[in-house]
Every structure is written in structure tokens, then in C-alpha cells.
Amino acid sequence: MRWIHKPTPEKTIISHLQECLGVNDVIATLLAQRGIDSYEAAKTYFRPKLKQLFDPFLMKDMDKAVARLCQAIEQKESIMVFGDYDVDGTTSVAMLTHFLQRQEVPVTSYIPERYAEGYGLSKQGIDVAKRENIRCMVALDCGIKAVDLVEYATSLGIDVIICDHHTPSDTLPNALAILDPKRNDCAYPYKELCGCGVGFKLMQGIVQKQGGDLETLIAYLDFVSVAIAADIVPITGENRVLAFLGLQQLNIAPRPGLEVLIRNKTGGQLISDVVFGMAPRINAAGRMKHGLYAVELLLSNSAEEATAMAEAIEAFNTSRRSVEQEITQEALAQVEANNEAENSATVVYAPHWHKGVIGIVASRLIETYYRPTLVFTQAGEGVLAASARSVRGFDVYAAIESCSAHIIQFGGHKYAAGITLNESDYPLFKTAFEQEVKKTLLAEQKEPVLEVDVALPFSAITEKTLRILKQMEPFGPENRSPVFYAEGVVDSGNAKCVGKENDHLKARFVQANSSPIDAIGFGLGDKLSLVKTGSPLRIAFSLEENHWQGNVSVQLRLKDIQPLPL
């Protein structure tokens, strides 16, 4: 693994932050690396407030969307809330459904059936709206490319409001309103909202229009924080405010449907707890059964009801893990059998692979072959669907777009996308994609990298440093949990492998003039022999609290271990 050291900020900025904030040079460096260069910027960063959110009416078409929904609310019109089947979509649907129900509006929640209807707006959903005499539909986390379907809905007399965050095509749907910060003609100051975040801005606009108290919306931010974490959007700007306040809500007063999904009972919920604990379970409903299970769980009013539904979703998640592991092994075998281990990209296909897990499988394949990856499966008569995942720095969306002559449709962003194509076009697409990646993938993008922030001597690991690091949460893209490094480190003599497969490393490291510190390195069991040499090492790590039998101690979460360069 190659280490990339973040640039060291200007000394004048570091010194200024040390002086005005009363912090050490390590903390000042971390803040400066995150673009914080003044007391006011630090205050905004450390103390996110609802009032820091932008005016929702800065977003293109917000006035149209709010006016239409306020009309529907006043006239008690039925509204369809339509969303994708992943975490971002299901939390969006649950959030807006609950909000409109509180406004005493009849609401129909609709999540497309993943396999029968596919991703995004569907004809079946529009037909349901028509049958139920619904004249207004809000599409959340989808719709930005649904030109024909929006035209169809409009022809049936249904007003469509799109709340999306995906990259639009050149032609926008002819919807009543399109809320998407990534529109070229949208001047909204923050572009990185998730779908649930855009839905929240719509609710903010409605409350402002009605003259209500924005504080009432805080209760919905647990939904938004879960969507932000699951959709891997940057934890900067508005997302940081929404995630920070949402996690507070999740920790102080979680709604029953989210509380039953909490796995970390030892401390406050973090972004990582949502990503690795809650999100896979919410996703499992849409992957293995139907996304409406997740919406119904999220809208549960009682702990008893939520617990029963969560048990069913847990069974879906267990099934998902088993299927995912089986497909991953089949895909790895296919790459080897086809002599494609040295290719620039991984493109694999089998008709029986479960469509609900192919995105996860693509991520697993990248762990073995570090390169852009697409996993295809059968999606209908003569039609294939794929999930794409990418590696650091490589725009897989652009690579897919360059092969659009062989594609029916596609959507997504730089690091993840979904596509459909005719089965007969699969060989042509596979060849074209391999050639495009081979041409555009840079040498430095072919090797896993570790971004390292700053050196942290063991002697500088103090209670104050830990306290400030906790205040830098929530961590996520563009506000990652700091990765430190220390040099001249040696094992105190008790390093060992742990875990069912002995693939994790447990050690206690010592650095000159400091006390020993416990360390755990998941997946680093193969480094034991290096540690056991007794030679000075350099280690990359993050800091965490280890809760064990009622005791709390500092622990190093190891990211990599290397010999100390000569």
C-alpha cells in the first residue's frame, strides 16, 4: 500500500489557529488541512447550527415545488411519495411521508419492486397513481433522467416534482419542478446533498412558506443523517450540519424504527455505526424482498412493532450476506478462468446472480483486483443490468458514458453507477469498457493508497487531543477520521493474530519516551512476522476508544505497518 501524505498547510495558518484556539500543532494542522483558517471558520465547524443552512429558495424550482405542495396541503389532495429502494430512497420516502401525514394529507408511499420495475421512476408506479386519482407525485432520490416517464405521468394529468442529487443529462424531464443542486442552471451554493437532503430542503421550504418554526424539522434529521452516511456523500458544508444534528437526534431521541437497528450500544452513534450497522439492514429489505419493508419499519410508532419488523429485515440481511459471498467466489473464479486477472477492468456476468447484491460484489472484487469493476446479471428477457464501482480517483461514470453506444440507460456518479444493456451488446460493451479504462486509468490509480494526515508522537496523545478529535466528528468523505503516523515504533513483545481466521493483528507498541499503547489492526494478520522482528517500524493509525468490561482506554486502530525506511 502506498502512503500519500496530505500537504502541510502554511505555518502562519497553523500558528494562527494554535494561538486563537489554544490547540497544539497537530490539531491546528488537521483543521487547516480541512480548510479551516480562522476562529470563525472553526466555530462554524465545531458548532453546527440549524441557522447555518442555506435558504431553500436559492435552489432552482423550489418556489414551484413549494407552491404546488402547499396547494395540495391546503386542499387535502392525495400525494404519492415515490423513492428508490436503497437507504437514501427509503429514508427520503419515510421522512416526507411522515411530514405530509402530520399536515393531514393523504399519502401513498411507493417504492419500485427492484426486479420487476428496476431503478427509479416506473410506469407501474405512475399507473398506480392514476388509478388512485393522485394528481401530484414527488420523486425522491431518482427521476433526473426519467424524461419519457415524466412525460407519461404528465400526459395522465399528474404533476411531478423531482428531488434528486444525481448528475443530470443534457435533456431534463418536463416535470413541474426539478430540485437538483447539480443542475447546470441551479445556483444553490452547496452541491453535495444526498436525495434525502434535497427532500429535507423541500420540507424546509414548505415550513418557511407556511411561517412555521424550523426547529420542528430537527426531529426529521435522524432520517437525513442515516441517508448521508449510507450514500457516502461529503461530510462538509450543509451535509456536516445535517449529519451532526441528525446524529444528535439519533442518540437522544431515536424513532422506534431506527432504534431497533442500533448495534453499538456502548456509546453515541457515529457515521461508521450507521454505514456498517444500520445501512446494510435497511438496504437488505430492498435487495432481498421489497423496499417498502424498510419504509414501514422506519415509520413504526411502537418498539414492539419495530422489533418484529426488524427481525424480518435481519433475516433478509443474513440471507444477503450468504448470497453475496457465494456470488463473489463465483465471480473471482470467472476472472481466473477467463485469464482476465491482468486486465485493466473487471467485467463479469452470470444470469443467475442476485441483482440485489451485485453492487456489494463489485466492491468485494475491488478488494482482490484493485480496478474499476462491473458485475452484470439478468434483468429481464434479453436485458442485463450491472452495478459499477470504482477505485480512488477514477471516474467510472465517465468511462461508462464513453461506451453509451452499447447501453440502454445508465446513471450514478464518479465512484458508483448502474447500467442496463441488451444481452447481445454485452461482449461489445465489455471490450469497449476495457479499452476505455486501459486508456484512461493512470498508473497511480492501480494501487491502493492510504492518505495520511500528520505525524502524532505517542507523547502527544493526551486527553485534550482526544476530546478535540471527538468534536471533529461526524467523520466521512472530505472530513475523514484523521489518519496519523508514528515512526520508530516497536512491539512490546506480545503481538499476536486474533479472530476466527487469525487475520487480525493485536499488539502493544512503544515509542521512545512514551508509555505503551494497545493497537488492533483488522485484516493485518499478515504483518505479524514484520512486527515480531523487533525492528523499528512506522505505523499509520487512527485513535479510538476501546470499551471493555466497563473500562475505557485509548487504542490505535492500525491502517498499515511498514519497515522504517533506511
Side-chain angles (χ1 to χ4, degrees), residues 120-273:
L121 272 178
S122 70
K123 183 177 183 297
Q124 292 95 319
I126 295 168
D127 288 341
V128 169
K130 178 63 177 176
R131 282 199 304 273
E132 297 186 5
N133 230 8
I134 292 170
R135 313 277 299 178
C136 183
M137 172 189 288
V138 183
L140 295 152
D141 190 36
C142 62
I144 196 63
K145 290 190 173 185
V147 175
D148 293 342
L149 286 166
V150 170
E151 196 67 42
Y152 176 65
T154 303
S155 73
L156 298 178
I158 301 170
D159 293 328
V160 180
I161 297 169
I162 294 172
C163 297
D164 208 345
H165 70 120
H166 296 102
T167 304
S169 299
D170 293 336
T171 303
L172 293 176
N174 187 28
L176 182 138
I178 300 175
L179 308 181
D180 188 335
K182 291 189 175 75
R183 285 179 61 166
N184 291 331
D185 58 350
C186 182
Y188 194 71
Y190 189 71
K191 303 293 185 182
E192 301 301 332
L193 294 169
C194 63
C196 194
V198 177
F200 181 84
K201 298 304 295 188
L202 175 59
M203 288 164 42
Q204 185 187 351
I206 292 171
V207 171
Q208 282 186 209
K209 180 76 171 179
Q210 294 173 332
D213 184 359
L214 291 181
E215 294 291 323
T216 60
L217 292 177
I218 289 178
Y220 293 98
L221 288 177
D222 52 358
F223 284 133
V224 185
S225 65
V226 170
I228 286 172
D231 226 50
I232 322 293
V233 291
I235 310 293
T236 58
E238 276 199 321
N239 279 344
R240 178 169 171 79
V241 176
L242 295 169
F244 179 90
L245 297 176
L247 286 172
Q248 277 190 344
Q249 184 70 16
L250 194 61
N251 288 317
I252 296 169
R255 62 190 68 243
L258 288 175
E259 186 171 20
V260 294
L261 297 175
I262 291 173
R263 289 293 181 269
N264 173 20
K265 306 292 185 181
T266 58
Q269 296 303 294
L270 307 175
I271 289 288
S272 58
D273 296 316

Side-chain angles (χ1 to χ4, degrees), residues 458 461 489-496 505-511 514-521 539 541-548 551-558:
F458 285 8
I461 301 176
V489 170
V490 294
D491 173 49
S492 63
N494 64 345
K496 61 182 179 181
L505 176 70
K506 190 168 180 59
R508 171 171 282 196
F509 287 120
V510 180
Q511 194 180 39
S514 70
S515 301
I517 301 182
D518 288 329
I520 183 74
I539 60 172
F541 59 91
S542 58
L543 292 178
E544 62 182 16
E545 289 181 343
N546 182 35
H547 296 256
W548 177 251
N551 297 316
V552 182
S553 59
V554 180
Q555 179 174 265
L556 309 182
R557 172 70 73 92
L558 298 170

Side-chain angles (χ1 to χ4, degrees), residues 412-487:
H413 49 80
K414 183 175 181 177
Y415 291 116
I419 73 172
T420 57
L421 49 73
N422 290 316
E423 187 170 10
S424 58
D425 285 329
Y426 173 73
L428 295 170
F429 171 83
K430 181 171 180 173
T431 300
F433 186 76
E434 168 67 21
Q435 290 174 348
E436 177 65 20
V437 174
K438 188 174 183 178
K439 180 175 68 177
T440 56
L441 187 68
L442 303 177
E444 59 265 28
Q445 294 170 340
K446 297 178 181 180
E447 179 185 6
V449 299
L450 178 66
E451 196 167 51
V452 178
D453 292 83
V454 64
L456 179 66
F458 285 8
S459 58
I461 301 176
T462 63
E463 287 188 9
K464 181 178 180 180
T465 298
L466 285 168
R467 187 170 65 249
I468 295 174
L469 287 174
K470 286 182 71 68
Q471 292 174 10
M472 293 175 68
E473 297 169 357
F475 294 126
E478 297 187 31
N479 186 50
R480 295 284 184 189
S481 176
V483 175
F484 304 104
Y485 71 94
E487 297 185 333

